[in-house]
Amino acid sequence: MTDATVPATQAETPTPQAQQEKIELNRREFLNLAWLASLGFLTLSIGGVAVLFGMPRFREGEFGGTFTFGPVSDLPGTDVAPANFPKVKLWLSNDPEGVTALYKVCPHLGCLYAWNDQEFKFICPCHGSQYEHDGDYISGPAPRSLDKFVITIEDENGNVLATTPEDGGPVRLPDNPNAIIRIDTGTKILGETHT
Ligand code: FES
């Protein structure tokens, strides 16, 4: 019998060994593809996380970011209520010793204290803690003076003229009336505890 007479079904049927090799090959291809897909997914995930971490968490002017006030000549006087900035949760207080950015939340149990013009001090409506114009503790159950944000004062060219000392004390105003105040509402210094 010549090749031409071999039945087609018999000629095309692969041997069990060939079938096994084909299955192995398909399995290997599948595993390679799966591995490449996982690698691609991992690379995209790492890239996405890196981009997210590279982005600023808070935008300028938002609570948690940097709030800019200026020029310093626009500050309220030392004998009037501190400037109120509810959106960024701060009072900007101008005193003879310098300027202080006070966090609006009472250090007792977290209420929002308020300025009282008649008594010329801050009073918390929840349990009555009281604080001076510059945030110093006066009386009440609060364990410490008001918390402060870190301030940097810069000239028109971005040169730093003054910054908040480590204890959160007031920042003395420079002579330059055009200087601006940058307040980092993401960095808080706890108020001084009292006995
Ligand atoms: S929360 Fe302000 S005194 Fe209690």
Side-chain angles (χ1 to χ4, degrees), residues 105-113 123-131 140-142:
V105 175
C106 179
H108 179 223
L109 292 177
C111 288
L112 293 180
Y113 58 86
I123 302 178
C124 182
C126 291
H127 313 98
S129 289
Q130 301 188 4
Y131 309 92

Side-chain angles (χ1 to χ4, degrees), residues 56-69 85 87-92 99-104 147-154 162-164 168 171 180-190:
R57 283 191 327 171
F58 302 100
R59 275 176 298 187
E60 175 128 2
E62 273 184 353
F63 177 67
T66 302
F67 174 73
T68 302
F69 176 92
F85 298 99
K87 197 175 158 205
V88 283
K89 302 182 185 170
L90 73 88
W91 292 93
L92 197 55
V99 65
T100 314
L102 304 168
Y103 180 40
K104 290 195 90 160
D147 300 334
K148 286 116 184 163
F149 294 121
V150 170
I151 287 177
T152 305
I153 301 182
E154 296 175 3
T163 184
T164 300
V171 183
I180 57 166
I181 302 174
R182 295 198 194 282
I183 301 149
D184 178 1
T185 62
T187 307
K188 220 169 31 173
I189 297 176
L190 297 188

Side-chain angles (χ1 to χ4, degrees), residues 9-181:
T9 50
Q10 200 179 327
E12 287 168 9
T13 305
T15 62
Q17 188 187 353
Q19 273 180 330
Q20 186 59 38
E21 280 172 6
K22 195 171 176 194
I23 290 170
E24 278 295 316
L25 197 62
N26 285 344
R27 197 167 153 263
R28 219 174 301 136
E29 280 173 351
F30 173 77
L31 287 175
N32 281 344
L33 277 175
W35 186 81
L36 280 174
S38 315
L39 193 67
F41 180 73
L42 187 70
T43 308
L44 280 176
S45 304
I46 291 173
V49 169
V51 167
L52 279 179
F53 272 99
M55 287 166 66
R57 283 191 327 171
F58 302 100
R59 275 176 298 187
E60 175 128 2
E62 273 184 353
F63 177 67
T66 302
F67 174 73
T68 302
F69 176 92
V72 291
S73 54
D74 285 350
L75 275 170
T78 57
D79 54 349
V80 295
N84 184 5
F85 298 99
K87 197 175 158 205
V88 283
K89 302 182 185 170
L90 73 88
W91 292 93
L92 197 55
S93 179
N94 185 15
D95 294 280
E97 300 76 31
V99 65
T100 314
L102 304 168
Y103 180 40
K104 290 195 90 160
V105 175
C106 179
H108 179 223
L109 292 177
C111 288
L112 293 180
Y113 58 86
W115 176 254
N116 184 308
D117 241 341
Q118 285 72 42
E119 302 202 30
F120 202 75
K121 60 188 170 191
F122 292 107
I123 302 178
C124 182
C126 291
H127 313 98
S129 289
Q130 301 188 4
Y131 309 92
E132 304 276 12
H133 193 262
D134 63 358
D136 279 356
Y137 171 86
I138 300 173
S139 64
R144 60 179 189 268
S145 296
L146 296 176
D147 300 334
K148 286 116 184 163
F149 294 121
V150 170
I151 287 177
T152 305
I153 301 182
E154 296 175 3
D155 68 12
E156 305 91 318
N157 301 316
N159 300 311
V160 174
L161 304 175
T163 184
T164 300
E166 270 181 26
D167 65 359
V171 183
R172 189 162 289 284
L173 289 175
D175 292 334
N176 183 347
N178 297 320
I180 57 166
I181 302 174

